[in-house]
Amino acid sequence: MAEIISEIEKRRAFRAIGEQGVPEDVKQRISRAALLAPSCANKQPWRFVVVDEEPALSVVRDALSGGNYWAKKAPLYLLAVTDPVFDCDLEDRRSYALFDTGMAVMNMQLQAVAEGLVAHPIAGFSDTQLKKGLKIPEPHILITIVVVGYPGDNSHLSEKHLVLESSRQERRAVEDLVSKNGWYFDE
């Protein structure tokens, strides 16, 4: 029986990332994986800014929060950007562009892992700095930065992050997150 759970489980939020560059053909396959993600009416509302050269690398590194010190060694950053106007015009409150872009990001991460890379999405950065430094238009939403690189030395990691690197990935129980035939969650 075919299953991809083992492939999905390989994608972990590792922080020990090396500085070795990522080949162009690998970056192309990662980008292609995003293009293959499903989206509402096939609108593909995501835009990705691939950062792998100076001075853009310094712009990203300077915009990272203190807790993401480990990400400053990465040779590649994938910035996921969208705007609700890029996607389906839904009458209710759903901003489908965020959902669609999230699926494209997951495709990119899975392809990166299949390429032997670490792909760690982060939320800790200065949105204002990045938009200004990389010329991302203001109404757009910078959702995440996916920090990408080959596995590297962990000697620069904090004690907390060293423990997280080697510990078992903690996840909630399925029944805490999935309810059948109605809303039956204890909140």
Side-chain angles (χ1 to χ4, degrees):
M1 183 174 194
E3 79 172 45
I4 64 166
I5 294 295
S6 62
E7 293 301 311
I8 294 169
E9 287 174 339
K10 288 178 188 173
R11 200 238 37 101
R12 287 274 314 266
F14 291 117
R15 291 171 181 84
I17 295 179
E19 298 175 68
Q20 173 190 350
V22 177
E24 283 302 317
D25 63 318
V26 173
K27 288 184 241 179
Q28 288 300 315
R29 286 191 295 274
I30 292 170
S31 295
R32 175 101 175 109
L35 299 179
L36 297 173
S39 63
C40 184
N42 199 31
K43 291 197 175 227
Q44 298 177 307
W46 49 80
R47 305 295 184 267
F48 290 98
V49 177
V50 176
V51 175
D52 62 356
E53 294 177 359
E54 290 295 352
L57 282 168
S58 290
V59 170
V60 172
R61 290 172 179 152
D62 291 344
L64 298 177
S65 66
N68 287 323
Y69 67 92
W70 55 269
K72 293 184 179 203
K73 293 180 77 167
L76 176 62
Y77 303 99
L78 307 172
L79 285 68
V81 180
T82 193
D83 190 314
V85 300
F86 294 162
D87 212 348
C88 293
D89 186 16
L90 302 173
E91 293 181 14
D92 55 20
R93 298 178 313 151
R94 290 178 293 153
S95 182
Y96 222 72
L98 297 173
F99 176 74
D100 284 348
T101 303
M103 289 196 295
V105 168
M106 191 66 221
N107 273 17
M108 292 178 99
Q109 289 178 82
L110 291 174
Q111 183 61 40
V113 169
E115 301 280 356
L117 296 160
V118 173
H120 186 141
I122 60 171
F125 52 82
S126 170
D127 173 80
T128 305
Q129 265 182 270
L130 288 169
K131 283 182 174 180
K132 183 178 178 185
L134 299 174
K135 299 180 175 99
I136 298 169
E138 186 46 51
H140 295 359
I141 303 165
L142 174 52
I143 302 170
T144 190
I145 298 173
V146 183
V147 181
V148 181
Y150 289 99
D153 176 31
N154 66 5
S155 64
H156 70 289
L157 298 180
S158 68
E159 264 316 300
K160 172 187 168 186
H161 289 150
L162 281 170
V163 169
L164 289 172
E165 289 288 292
S166 59
S167 63
R168 188 172 175 268
Q169 190 175 23
E170 293 297 322
R171 291 290 187 232
R172 293 175 67 177
V174 171
E175 54 274 6
D176 289 346
L177 304 172
V178 178
S179 176
K180 189 173 179 183
N181 299 317
W183 188 270
Y184 300 107
F185 297 104
D186 294 327
E187 296 196 34

